[in-house]
Amino acid sequence: MRIGELAERAGTTTRALRYYESLGLLRARRTGNGYRAYDEADLTLLRQIQLLRDIGFELEDTRPFVDCLRAGHPEGDACPASLEVYRRKLAELDAYVARLTEARGRIAEQLARAESAAAPAPRCEFTCEGSTP
């Protein structure tokens, strides 16, 4: 298939495919007239990249998964390098969650302190329902 068809089937742009090619993540073969040619394996690679990007991986983090697929594994995360990327990403997320939890706790403490120190709102002594003052 040509680049336009691959982009359409993958739900991306030809520009993105050329960029992936420039990074070595995607390898185009050339037809006799110079057109880029791709196959179903390339679509599988793209879907792996997109899946990983959708869940927060940087583009360079997808390389071990692509390499794993190219090595003949049916899944891109079956290789040790891919598993290591998963472990690293989980550690990053755990650290981020810990920072967020700490920040949330500090904000909750500040709010509680501020609420207890705040002057109570003045109460209205008069009600004007049904009468004019």
Side-chain angles (χ1 to χ4, degrees):
M1 77 187 88
R2 292 191 15 203
I3 193 167
E5 182 183 351
L6 180 63
E8 184 177 325
R9 289 184 63 192
T12 191
T13 64
T14 57
R15 182 177 179 190
L17 298 183
R18 286 185 193 99
Y19 180 63
Y20 294 165
E21 186 179 340
S22 75
L23 297 176
L25 293 172
L26 188 62
R27 295 180 187 152
R29 289 157 299 287
R30 296 289 180 157
T31 62
N33 58 4
Y35 290 124
R36 288 175 171 88
Y38 301 95
D39 58 22
E40 292 298 318
D42 296 312
L43 182 59
T44 300
L45 289 175
L46 280 174
R47 288 186 174 148
Q48 179 75 67
I49 291 168
Q50 290 170 322
L51 171 73
L52 293 167
R53 298 282 290 148
D54 287 347
I55 58 175
F57 284 79
E58 297 296 323
L59 194 53
E60 191 56 36
D61 291 334
T62 68
R63 190 173 300 279
F65 298 86
V66 168
D67 292 343
C68 189
L69 286 168
R70 282 191 182 130
H73 296 277
E75 300 294 329
D77 56 6
C79 297
S82 303
L83 296 172
E84 185 54 39
V85 172
Y86 276 152
R87 287 184 194 99
R88 184 175 41 81
K89 189 65 169 178
L90 276 176
E92 288 172 11
L93 289 171
D94 288 342
Y96 186 64
V97 167
R99 287 192 310 271
L100 286 175
T101 301
E102 180 184 344
R104 188 193 185 289
R106 292 178 67 190
I107 291 169
E109 289 171 6
Q110 289 295 102
L111 174 60
R113 183 200 52 76
E115 286 177 334
S116 67
R123 298 186 69 192
C124 181
E125 297 292 326
F126 301 100
T127 59
C128 300
E129 279 183 37
S131 63
T132 56

